[in-house]
């Protein structure tokens, strides 16, 4: 539908009755839009009630609907059970990091966020009351919302997690001689780079809808050979089929990328993409992933069994929290941000990882845009970081009833209870006394229960993106995440309420950080 221009709106507003001449038209229209009404063509307005009236009549009668106090749910209003199926739909439909970022982008745009390119100048695009996101490499994302009262030097309430998961990726030359009649090294598609008919190069997502690969173990009847350890190069090679005439490599163009890949794999991907010229596939990233869908389990369906819970659980919940909290940007002064990174499982050292400038670059571009003459020096940037807080959100360990001796008795998180603070005295986590107190106050305001985990002294803790981000920016930070069982296995478990409990605490973080921060002395 055609949206009337500002000139047309003003003309419609200036129409009889004559009392409209004394009305602040711009302010009235702004209030009208904030009330949830929609202005359509010919000076007509659809009110939140569904009634259609003339704009000039509303202005003349002084009958502009009031702005609702908030269109966002409070954290206390979040019903965790309502988020179980949406999380399963996400985890089952988006098996790779590229699919996840594509999903997140569409989810954000559906809720009013505008995509920004890192290649563009943001100075003329960012506005108070605006919601935005940017991506890098198609595998990392930062989303943020700017409240109406934001001023340079104000802080940022930041969550950060990772979307990548442990997996097996295809080598650049993936064709392999058949062994005992088996075709080996099968993968599921991740992302494909192709040249279109007009000569442009673009990336396409593709996902085969049937399982194509399996790594078979050796039966225990073979004795010690079946016990391992196993050679990852020679004994962990997936089988994707039996030797066939379809595996003729001569069907692929010589000297092309495709010629170095299994012929049947090239054909399967090409068929899925509608590609007929195999030479147009310039490169790809292929990933093997668990095909069996996630599901609820337990006698009362209180559990959730799924692949890739680490760390799509916290990433999904954090983004949902940002979306919910960003539905109302009136009156606040703190920027809400959610950063989701690639490469955490391999060290975060690539440009799409947490050690990059992706998050800090977004913060600095925002501060610069709203600074005088678009010039933000070290003073205002340091002030911004000093007023900010980072919630590093990665899954942690739920207590396993079969291995109680591996846990500290008082540091044994349970499922379906609430987010778990991850502590570590050796600096593997960012948690300290101040950051724990901040999150505790936020949890109290959100009606949320906190848990705590610290690993035994005779074990080594894992790591997160928290320490590298908080050290680089100098922000106060805490590590906390939803608890799960069987971390780093092909299929893990959490509570069926844990996705929704995550949404609750992340919504509460964005909702209450600004007021809680004021409770703390310098």
């Amino acid at each position: 539908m055609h949206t009337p221009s500002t000139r047309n709106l003003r003309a419609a507003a200036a129409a009889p009755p004559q009392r409209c001449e004394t009305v602040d038209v711009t302010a009235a229209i702004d209030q009208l839009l904030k009330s949830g009404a929609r202005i359509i063509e010919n000076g007509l307005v659809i009110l939140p009630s569904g009634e259609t009236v003339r704009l000039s009549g509303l202005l003349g009668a002084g009958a502009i609907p009031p702005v609702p106090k908030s269109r966002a749910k409070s954290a206390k209003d979040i019903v965790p059970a309502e988020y179980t199926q949406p999380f399963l739909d996400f985890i089952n439909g988006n098996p790779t990091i590229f699919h996840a970022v594509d999903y997140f982008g569409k989810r954000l745009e559906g809720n009013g966020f505008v995509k920004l390119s890192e290649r563009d100048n943001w100075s003329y695009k960012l506005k108070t009351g605006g919601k935005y996101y940017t991506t890098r490499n198609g595998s990392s994302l930062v989303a943020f919302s700017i409240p109406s009262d934001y001023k340079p030097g104000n802080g940022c309430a930041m969550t950060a997690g990772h979307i990548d998961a442990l997996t097996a990726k295809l080598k650049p030359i993936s064709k392999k001689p058949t062994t005992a009649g088996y075709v080996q090294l099968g993968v599921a598609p991740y992302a494909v780079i192709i040249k279109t008919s007009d000569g442009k190069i673009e990336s396409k997502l593709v996902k085969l809808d049937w399982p194509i690969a399996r790594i078979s173990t050796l039966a225990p009847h073979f004795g010690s050979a079946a016990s391992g350890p196993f050679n990852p190069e020679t004994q962990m090679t997936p089988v994707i089929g039996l030797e066939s005439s379809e595996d003729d490599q001569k069907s692929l163009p010589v000297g092309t990328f495709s010629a170095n890949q299994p012929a049947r794999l090239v054909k399967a991907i090409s068929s899925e993409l509608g590609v007929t010229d195999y030479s147009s596939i310039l490169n790809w990233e292929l990933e093997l992933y668990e095909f069996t869908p996630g599901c609820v389990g337990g006698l009362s369906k209180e559990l959730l069994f799924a692949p890739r819970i680490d760390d799509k659980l916290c990433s999904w919940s954090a983004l949902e929290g940002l979306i919910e909290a960003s539905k109302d940007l009136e009156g606040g002064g703190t920027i809400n941000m959610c950063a989701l990174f690639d490469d955490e499982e391999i060290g975060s050292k690539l440009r799409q990882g947490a050690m990059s400038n992706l998050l800090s670059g977004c913060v600095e571009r925002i501060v610069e845009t709203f600074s005088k003459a678009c010039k933000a020096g070290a003073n205002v940037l340091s002030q911004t970081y000093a007023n900010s807080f980072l919630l590093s959100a990665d899954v942690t360990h739920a207590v396993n009833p079969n291995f109680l001796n591996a846990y500290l008795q008082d540091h044994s998180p349970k499922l379906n209870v609430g987010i778990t603070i991850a502590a570590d005295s050796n600096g593997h986590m960012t948690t300290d006394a101040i950051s724990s107190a901040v999150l505790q106050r936020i949890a109290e305001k959100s009606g949320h229960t906190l848990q705590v985990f610290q690993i035994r002294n005779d074990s080594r803790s894992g790591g997160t993106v928290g320490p590298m981000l908080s050290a680089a920016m100098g922000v106060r930070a805490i590590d906390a995440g939803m608890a799960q069982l069987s971390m780093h296995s092909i299929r893990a478990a959490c509570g069926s309420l844990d996705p929704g409990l995550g949404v609750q605490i992340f919504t509460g973080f964005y909702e209450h950080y600004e007021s809680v921060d004021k409770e703390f002395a310098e």
Side-chain angles (χ1 to χ4, degrees):
M1 179 177 291
H2 172 69
T3 301
S5 65
T6 304
R7 179 181 298 175
N8 290 338
L9 289 176
R10 292 180 181 278
Q18 295 301 315
R19 284 184 298 170
C20 288
E21 295 176 1
T22 62
V23 173
D24 184 338
V25 175
T26 300
I29 291 175
D30 184 56
Q31 180 180 334
L32 182 65
L33 295 174
K34 288 177 181 177
S35 75
R38 292 188 296 118
I39 300 175
I40 57 177
E41 57 190 4
N42 299 324
L44 297 177
V45 176
I46 300 178
L47 299 177
S49 64
E51 181 185 1
T52 301
V53 298
R54 285 200 168 276
L55 176 60
S56 57
L58 282 176
L59 295 175
I64 301 295
V67 178
K69 289 185 178 179
S70 177
R71 295 189 293 274
K73 289 181 182 177
S74 172
K76 287 187 175 181
D77 296 329
I78 298 292
V79 180
E82 294 179 354
Y83 293 86
T84 304
Q85 191 57 50
F87 173 71
L88 280 172
D89 292 342
F90 160 71
I91 206 79
N92 292 334
N94 301 279
T96 74
I97 191 165
F98 290 113
H99 288 92
V101 169
D102 180 68
Y103 166 90
F104 287 144
K106 291 175 180 175
R107 185 89 179 91
L108 288 165
E109 290 179 17
N111 283 274
F113 285 73
V114 176
K115 185 174 183 180
L116 302 171
S117 170
E118 283 196 287
R119 295 188 177 203
D120 293 341
N121 184 340
W122 294 1
S123 299
Y124 307 102
K125 299 185 178 184
L126 303 183
K127 308 291 182 185
T128 54
K131 300 184 284 188
Y132 309 92
Y133 79 99
T134 190
T135 63
R136 181 178 288 183
N137 190 52
S139 61
S140 291
L141 176 148
V142 175
F144 56 92
S145 56
I146 306 172
S148 62
D149 294 345
Y150 170 73
K151 299 291 187 298
N154 289 5
C156 303
M158 299 180 279
T159 60
H162 70 93
I163 328 172
D164 62 311
L166 293 179
T167 186
K169 293 187 178 182
L170 190 64
K171 296 177 181 178
I173 299 176
S174 63
K175 67 179 180 180
K176 190 178 179 76
T178 57
T179 304
Y182 291 103
V183 180
Q184 291 185 287
L185 198 61
V187 294
Y190 194 55
V192 182
I193 308 297
I194 68 169
K195 181 179 287 188
T196 60
S197 57
D198 59 2
K200 293 184 178 179
I201 296 173
E202 62 182 13
S203 175
K204 286 186 175 291
L205 289 174
V206 61
K207 179 178 65 173
L208 300 185
D209 59 2
W210 73 98
I212 66 169
R214 177 178 171 80
I215 301 174
S216 296
T217 58
L218 191 63
H221 307 78
F222 289 89
S224 60
S227 301
F230 302 109
N231 186 309
E233 179 64 34
T234 61
Q235 295 175 314
M236 302 288 288
T237 305
V239 169
I240 57 172
L242 302 178
E243 191 173 9
S244 166
S245 59
E246 295 180 69
D247 298 317
D248 182 11
Q249 293 293 130
K250 294 180 180 178
S251 62
L252 303 177
V254 177
T256 64
F257 173 82
S258 297
N260 290 321
Q261 319 306 324
R264 261 193 288 171
L265 183 58
V266 172
K267 294 172 183 177
I269 293 172
S270 298
S271 176
E272 195 73 16
L273 290 174
V275 171
T276 56
D277 180 5
Y278 301 144
S279 66
S280 67
I281 299 178
L282 303 183
N283 211 314
W284 61 29
E285 288 189 52
L286 299 172
E287 179 179 313
L288 189 68
Y289 69 90
E290 163 66 354
F291 186 82
T292 306
C295 61
V296 292
L299 291 175
S300 299
K301 298 183 179 180
E302 66 268 52
L303 302 175
L304 190 152
F305 311 137
R308 302 176 294 279
I309 286 178
D310 179 9
D311 181 36
K312 288 184 173 64
L313 173 57
C314 291
S315 295
W316 181 85
S317 297
L319 196 78
E320 287 296 317
L322 176 69
I323 289 172
E324 188 60 53
S326 298
K327 290 178 180 177
D328 183 8
L329 297 174
E330 286 298 310
T334 298
I335 292 172
N336 290 334
M337 304 187 77
C338 178
L340 305 177
F341 293 101
D342 192 1
D343 300 327
E344 189 272 346
E345 299 290 4
I346 58 172
S348 299
K349 295 180 179 179
L350 303 181
R351 74 181 188 94
Q352 58 269 24
M355 278 194 182
S356 72
N357 69 337
L358 179 57
L359 178 55
S360 60
C362 288
V363 173
E364 291 162 13
R365 293 176 83 162
I366 295 169
V367 174
E368 178 187 89
T369 295
F370 292 94
S371 296
K372 187 175 181 180
C374 284
K375 292 181 179 180
N379 188 32
V380 69
L381 287 173
S382 294
Q383 180 187 18
T384 297
Y385 288 135
N387 286 322
S388 298
F389 192 94
L390 171 70
L391 200 173
S392 170
D394 201 349
V395 290
T396 191
H397 304 283
V399 63
N400 188 321
N402 297 328
F403 300 92
L404 292 179
N405 61 324
Y407 297 79
L408 294 171
Q409 184 175 356
D410 298 324
H411 297 76
S412 302
K414 297 180 179 180
L415 305 179
N416 287 337
V417 172
I419 198 168
T420 296
I421 294 175
D424 185 278
S425 59
N426 295 307
H428 297 130
M429 305 291 171
T430 61
T431 303
D432 59 26
I434 295 298
S435 62
S436 295
V438 170
L439 189 59
Q440 180 64 54
R441 286 291 294 127
I442 290 171
E444 291 169 0
K445 287 174 170 283
S446 304
H448 191 88
T449 301
L450 292 184
Q451 305 185 83
V452 64
F453 173 79
Q454 182 163 324
I455 206 159
R456 288 167 52 106
N457 290 337
D458 51 6
S459 301
R460 186 196 180 281
S461 171
T464 71
V465 300
M468 63 191 75
L469 288 171
S470 60
M473 296 183 290
V475 299
R476 293 163 295 166
I478 191 169
D479 268 289
M482 309 310 296
Q484 68 160 88
L485 291 167
S486 301
M487 186 182 293
H488 287 181
S489 21
I490 193 71
R491 201 169 178 83
C494 65
S496 60
L497 297 181
D498 284 330
L501 287 169
V503 176
Q504 181 187 66
I505 188 59
F506 293 123
T507 301
F509 172 67
Y510 293 124
E511 179 185 2
H512 298 301
Y513 167 69
E514 185 171 326
S515 62
V516 167
D517 183 49
K518 294 176 182 177
E519 299 176 9
F520 286 77
E522 180 68 26

